[in-house]
Amino acid sequence: MKRMRLLITVGMVLLLTLACASIGTGDNNNANQDHAQNNTDQNDAEDNNSENDGSHDDEGKAGSLGETDFGRLLESGDLILDSINSNADEETNGRILTVQFTNPTNDEIIVSLPCGLIFVPTETEEQPMMMVQPLDLLLSPGESAPFTPYVVCADLFTPPPEINSGYTIGYLASDQLLAFAECICDIPLSDEEDSFDGVGVQFATWTIATNGDFTAGLDGEETAFGDEFEGLGADELIQSVTEMFSLYGSEWIDRCGIILEQPAE
């Protein structure tokens, strides 16, 4: 959980900074003005969302793995999946899966794994992973070779995989998750462990998948965060951190033009 620990550390610093700034004001008039401004901003945001509702081209979009070149190669037997295993311990994003394919044919083949592809764990309590960076494979006749796709966790409410956990090819994501994955596919992400790119995309993915409601995931015993929030204490603190994380991913959500559903009143 190196990336997650880094984000939580920075997040706590930001949270304390905001708290200190709030205490330092001590002015009810300023607080009332801030509250009024927040209401105005929220109304403006709701108006913008209302204008955009129904206009997003990717709304309701779903993918079919069998309609991709990759899916057809698997179905025809011209590409053989040998194995998929986690190569990291309790990480949620990055090149943390090793996939090995074999080309059983007498011809060289080029395989393009589609962004939005979901890798499903063979142990159901662990996280499914979604591919968010392009990966083109060149396999000579009879060649077997390993590849490491760039993935993010697609389910906040399941624990991260242990090293060597098994996976298999699942399906294509649908709706907003698929649209988001295809958008991120066109944006190069850093492979460096201390990069915040992947962490931001990860939180954006969780935000889209949960429609911005992290509460149940933070309260649960088995989550993508593992024990990172253990001992933090008050529910208010958890809620504040949750809101901060949601905002952290919002840059990527906005960048890809994803519009979250408005909660029912």
Side-chain angles (χ1 to χ4, degrees), residues 138-193:
L138 177 62
L139 292 172
S140 302
E143 180 184 8
S144 295
F147 303 90
T148 53
Y150 194 113
V151 297
V152 294
C153 168
D155 183 0
L156 174 62
F157 307 117
T158 49
E162 298 178 356
I163 193 164
N164 292 325
S165 290
Y167 278 77
T168 188
I169 299 296
Y171 50 90
L172 278 185
S174 61
D175 302 315
Q176 301 284 45
L177 272 182
L178 178 60
F180 183 68
E182 291 177 341
C183 170
I184 298 301
C185 204
D186 294 329
I187 304 172
L189 300 179
S190 172
D191 288 332
E192 297 296 327
E193 286 190 353

Side-chain angles (χ1 to χ4, degrees), residues 2-263:
K2 295 178 182 177
R3 298 179 184 88
M4 199 61 64
R5 290 193 181 101
L6 178 62
L7 178 59
I8 289 172
T9 299
V10 174
M12 293 303 297
V13 172
L14 289 174
L15 185 63
L16 290 173
T17 301
L18 290 173
C20 291
S22 177
I23 293 172
T25 59
D27 191 328
N28 289 334
N29 290 332
N30 287 341
N32 289 335
Q33 291 173 0
D34 290 342
H35 181 70
Q37 183 61 49
N38 288 338
N39 286 338
T40 300
D41 293 342
Q42 181 177 355
N43 290 336
D44 290 343
E46 290 174 352
D47 290 342
N48 289 335
N49 284 339
S50 296
E51 291 174 2
N52 288 325
D53 280 347
S55 64
H56 196 283
D57 292 338
D58 293 315
E59 185 69 27
K61 182 176 182 179
S64 173
L65 189 57
E67 295 177 358
T68 66
D69 290 338
F70 171 69
R72 285 189 285 267
L73 281 172
L74 285 177
E75 290 177 357
S76 67
D78 290 335
L79 179 67
I80 296 175
L81 171 64
D82 297 317
S83 63
I84 307 176
N85 293 98
S86 169
N87 58 44
D89 190 25
E90 296 189 344
E91 291 287 359
T92 64
N93 62 282
R95 298 190 185 278
I96 59 176
L97 295 181
T98 299
V99 185
Q100 179 159 313
F101 291 106
T102 293
N103 173 11
T105 73
N106 295 321
D107 300 312
E108 182 180 81
I109 60 173
I110 298 176
V111 184
S112 296
L113 274 69
C115 285
L117 176 64
I118 302 291
F119 298 94
V120 179
T122 54
E123 298 294 333
T124 56
E125 66 269 19
E126 291 185 339
Q127 299 170 353
M129 297 291 180
M130 182 172 73
M131 189 170 152
V132 292
Q133 292 283 268
L135 180 60
D136 294 326
L137 319 178
L138 177 62
L139 292 172
S140 302
E143 180 184 8
S144 295
F147 303 90
T148 53
Y150 194 113
V151 297
V152 294
C153 168
D155 183 0
L156 174 62
F157 307 117
T158 49
E162 298 178 356
I163 193 164
N164 292 325
S165 290
Y167 278 77
T168 188
I169 299 296
Y171 50 90
L172 278 185
S174 61
D175 302 315
Q176 301 284 45
L177 272 182
L178 178 60
F180 183 68
E182 291 177 341
C183 170
I184 298 301
C185 204
D186 294 329
I187 304 172
L189 300 179
S190 172
D191 288 332
E192 297 296 327
E193 286 190 353
D194 60 352
S195 170
F196 276 77
D197 285 355
V199 179
V201 171
Q202 177 63 85
F203 275 103
T205 300
W206 283 333
T207 301
I208 296 168
T210 62
N211 200 38
D213 181 10
F214 293 156
T215 305
L218 291 178
D219 290 343
E221 294 182 0
E222 295 290 343
T223 73
F225 296 114
D227 60 359
E228 294 302 314
F229 283 91
E230 184 178 355
L232 286 184
D235 292 340
E236 291 79 9
L237 181 58
I238 293 178
Q239 183 61 36
S240 296
V241 175
T242 303
E243 291 173 356
M244 181 194 65
F245 283 161
S246 180
L247 289 174
Y248 190 85
S250 65
E251 175 185 350
W252 293 93
I253 292 173
D254 293 343
R255 187 171 183 177
C256 291
I258 303 298
I259 301 172
L260 299 180
E261 296 178 3
Q262 295 299 305

